[in-house]
Amino acid sequence: MSTQNTDWPLWEVFVRSKRGLSHSHAGSLHAPDATMALRNARDLFTRRGEGVSIWVVPAAAITASSPDEKDPFFEPAADKTYRHPTFYTIPEGVKHL
Amino acid sequence: MTTAPAAGAANETAPAELVAEFDAVVAADGRIEPRDWMPDAYRATLIRQIAQHAHSEIIGMQPEANWITRAPSLRRKAILIAKVQDEAGHGLYLYGAAETLGVSRAELLDKLHSGRQRYSSIFNYPTLTWADVGAIGWLVDGAAITNQVPLCRCSYGPYARAMVRVCKEESFHQRQGYELLYTLSHGTEEQHAMAQDAVNRWWWPSLMMFGPPDDESAHSAQSMAWRIKRHSNDELRQRFVDICVPQAEALGLTLPDPDLRWNEERGRWDFGEIDWEEFQQVLRGNGPCNEQRLTQRRTAHEDGAWVREAAAAYAAKHQTDTGREATAV
């Protein structure tokens, strides 16, 4: 019954909502090529003026960190509280610091 | 991101550590993301629910699209086209969310077309008059919003994010329907009668949209524990009735329920018995339009095959051309 059983490639869509802001992930869609992915992304994610610029990226081209979001990959940052300004004690009354 | 292990991968022997982490995230009202470990049954429940939701959006385009060519003014026509296009968009957000769980789009469509996955039974009722477009916007979209707002806090991240987008857009759907009915209700006697008739036909099926009563709902308890669902079917239904009664009054229309009365003690509206036998019949495929809806969907899919094939062929050819240019350089 179904004439085509393979999906078009998957694209991840990133939208810049207005000048001055960076693109952020809006969702994903299928399209045969980049041109169609852009057109589909416009119709799908910016029907109400939600964007001034769109990026489409083949999902297969994205390299992600490990699936576990509490990964040891990010652990080196955990014990370096001295990277935050709040780590330091400053004498009372000192300004512009 | 959308890479996920195949749905249904056996994980009965999952390490206690993973189970504990999943439970902790859910208990802390955190979000589960596609590549996190999750119980097989959680994954299967989400696929079933999100797929049914996506299918409902796509099938739901039909009863309203039925009136696009006969809309009474250009204004109403433009609004209706925009609304039907939104429904297509909602279907796509939801298919996208379902795919993060490891099912393919082709598989989901195939299951819809072969009747192995369902869509909301409300769309098996016909749209007999123009006023039905108003009644669907006010009641059917209103019921959908009541159901969907809590889903914005669902424990599965991609589903919750899709629902935030959907809910923002649904509000226009409901208001255009309400305005349409208000206009008819305050028009000629005939127009008023048409609006009343539409509300009479859509009221009870809209109440059925919240699903069976709590004590007969097959998946409710587990879905609540997983924080996919936040409120029981009966609670959401009651909330919807309480919202609708004053809105109907403002429309100058009545709701077709002789048992509808204010309950001082509960501070809520009591309402009559729902005909669950009718609900079951429609679910089993015996509603007025089940056959028509699925046939039209299958036909649309088959008629669109050449477009999909042409686009794929163009993409393939273009890719070869680019490759050739690259080698030439």
Side-chain angles (χ1 to χ4, degrees):
Chain A
M1 180 194 67
S2 165
T3 46
Q4 188 188 5
N5 256 333
T6 47
D7 288 319
W8 284 332
L10 188 69
W11 301 76
E12 298 297 333
V13 180
F14 299 83
V15 176
R16 182 200 296 286
S17 56
K18 62 177 187 185
R19 287 174 176 277
L21 296 179
S22 48
H23 287 73
S24 57
H25 188 235
S28 52
L29 52 77
H30 292 276
D33 58 28
T35 312
M36 288 301 294
L38 267 182
R39 280 176 180 272
N40 291 351
R42 178 200 58 188
D43 291 346
L44 190 55
F45 296 109
T46 61
R47 286 195 301 281
R48 290 175 175 78
E50 294 97 329
V52 294
S53 164
I54 299 176
W55 290 345
V56 289
V57 181
I62 295 179
T63 307
S65 58
S66 144
D68 190 339
E69 303 214 345
K70 275 167 73 185
D71 195 76
F73 188 66
F74 298 104
E75 221 162 70
D79 59 354
K80 296 179 179 59
T81 49
Y82 47 83
R83 282 183 167 155
H84 298 278
T86 47
F87 178 78
Y88 302 93
T89 318
I90 300 297
E92 195 84 24
V94 176
K95 287 178 181 169
H96 307 302
L97 200 67
Chain B
M1 278 306 303
T2 39
T3 332
N11 65 359
E12 285 149 12
T13 53
E17 193 186 303
L18 291 176
V19 180
E21 201 172 302
F22 171 87
D23 288 345
V25 170
V26 171
D29 242 343
R31 297 288 176 269
I32 302 297
E33 294 296 342
R35 305 199 309 162
D36 288 337
W37 180 89
M38 62 187 87
D40 287 345
Y42 177 81
R43 185 185 299 278
T45 297
L46 279 168
I47 291 175
R48 181 184 51 77
Q49 180 172 338
I50 303 174
Q52 171 167 343
H53 200 158
H55 299 330
S56 302
E57 301 283 357
I58 299 298
I59 295 286
M61 294 165 74
Q62 292 183 30
E64 291 184 286
N66 177 37
W67 282 93
I68 289 177
T69 55
R70 291 170 290 166
S73 69
L74 187 56
R75 177 179 182 270
R76 294 286 179 202
K77 188 174 190 161
I79 291 169
L80 187 54
I81 291 173
K83 180 182 190 288
V84 173
Q85 191 190 7
D86 271 357
E87 307 297 0
H90 296 176
L92 293 179
Y93 306 152
L94 288 159
Y95 282 126
E99 286 174 76
T100 64
L101 292 158
V103 280
S104 74
R105 181 77 55 94
E107 192 181 335
L108 293 169
L109 285 178
D110 199 47
K111 283 188 171 154
L112 167 65
H113 296 157
S114 59
R116 279 174 296 157
Q117 278 175 346
R118 283 175 170 162
Y119 55 89
S120 175
S121 63
I122 191 82
F123 301 116
N124 291 317
Y125 290 88
T127 40
L128 302 179
T129 72
W130 169 251
D132 287 26
V133 172
I136 288 180
W138 176 40
L139 296 174
V140 176
D141 290 314
I145 292 170
T146 310
N147 261 329
Q148 287 168 354
V149 167
L151 284 173
C152 297
R153 293 184 297 125
C154 158
S155 62
Y156 187 58
Y159 191 26
R161 292 192 285 275
M163 293 321 300
V164 169
R165 209 169 256 285
V166 168
C167 285
K168 272 187 198 159
E169 299 179 352
E170 285 288 353
S171 170
F172 135 61
H173 297 181
Q174 194 187 18
R175 289 178 74 134
Q176 65 82 33
Y178 193 81
E179 188 209 62
L180 195 165
L181 279 181
Y182 188 90
T183 309
L184 285 177
S185 175
H186 293 79
T188 64
E189 217 169 283
E190 254 182 310
Q191 287 172 324
H192 179 89
M194 189 195 275
Q196 184 61 61
D197 169 65
V199 169
N200 290 350
R201 282 181 290 108
W202 288 95
W203 174 248
W204 291 107
S206 299
L207 292 190
M208 294 175 196
M209 283 177 70
F210 296 93
D214 293 347
D215 45 11
E216 289 161 37
S217 178
H219 310 286
S220 275
Q222 181 60 73
S223 287
M224 300 265 275
W226 278 330
R227 305 209 181 175
I228 295 174
K229 208 177 154 104
R230 297 276 175 167
H231 308 282
S232 78
N233 294 353
D234 286 333
E235 166 55 26
L236 291 170
R237 189 168 11 246
Q238 177 72 58
R239 211 180 270 188
F240 178 67
V241 172
D242 292 344
I243 289 170
C244 285
V245 174
Q247 290 178 347
E249 204 173 316
L251 281 174
L253 298 171
T254 57
L255 297 171
D257 181 357
D259 296 324
L260 197 63
R261 59 180 57 86
W262 178 250
N263 184 322
E264 195 66 55
E265 211 171 292
R266 293 200 305 134
R268 314 195 85 166
W269 289 86
D270 288 337
F271 54 98
E273 195 71 29
I274 292 170
D275 182 358
W276 291 112
E277 179 49 32
E278 176 183 321
F279 178 71
Q280 292 301 337
Q281 281 300 327
V282 179
L283 272 192
R284 270 181 230 126
N286 305 323
C289 299
N290 296 57
E291 190 57 42
Q292 184 191 333
R293 300 288 185 240
L294 263 187
T295 305
Q296 192 172 333
R297 178 84 265 287
R298 287 192 204 109
T299 309
H301 189 70
E302 282 158 22
D303 288 352
W306 73 271
V307 179
R308 295 191 295 278
E309 282 158 18
Y314 178 83
K317 179 175 183 291
H318 187 72
Q319 213 167 29
T320 322
D321 289 349
T322 329
R324 205 173 298 140
E325 271 164 41
T327 353
V329 172

